[in-house]
Amino acid sequence: TTPVQFVKGSYCGSFDGNVVGRKFALQLNAGQLLSIEVNASKDIYPVVKDPKGKTLVAVDESNPYAYNTTKKGKYTVSFDVEDESYPYAEIKFCAP
């Protein structure tokens, strides 16, 4: 598990590298909007789970990588990669 650290005074953290088989952990509060920006050469889809392991559904189709948090605790994000020969991505996690 790779912890996502938010820079002091910021509500965003980032990762740049191979996402295959990697799980990211974020400490979040209830009522936050977690948004994930993905910059990759092939499609990569986030899978977000709440502290109890329930998979979250995106807020809506216009913002498919945004999720409402319902509980305080550790959320995890893994990624489904369309083509594992292109596992690298720049990821930005924000939770204002």
Side-chain angles (χ1 to χ4, degrees):
T1 301
T2 302
V4 176
Q5 302 294 326
F6 294 151
V7 178
K8 187 173 181 158
S10 173
Y11 56 84
C12 293
S14 61
F15 175 83
D16 188 3
N18 185 342
V19 298
V20 171
R22 189 178 296 267
K23 187 183 292 186
F24 297 89
L26 300 96
Q27 278 298 132
L28 301 173
N29 292 315
Q32 287 184 280
L33 178 68
L34 170 63
S35 63
I36 302 170
E37 293 177 27
V38 178
N39 183 5
S41 58
K42 297 283 184 171
D43 287 338
I44 293 177
Y45 306 99
V47 177
V48 180
K49 297 195 178 204
D50 73 10
K52 299 219 182 255
K54 179 182 174 195
T55 301
L56 299 184
V57 176
V59 173
D60 59 46
E61 289 179 17
S62 68
N63 200 354
Y65 296 166
Y67 307 85
N68 287 317
T69 62
T70 56
K71 299 171 177 56
K72 181 179 181 176
K74 183 172 84 172
Y75 285 74
T76 60
V77 181
S78 57
F79 291 90
D80 286 339
V81 178
E82 182 179 272
D83 183 348
E84 290 196 7
S85 62
Y86 294 91
Y88 296 95
E90 293 175 21
I91 311 291
K92 185 175 181 181
F93 303 91
C94 294

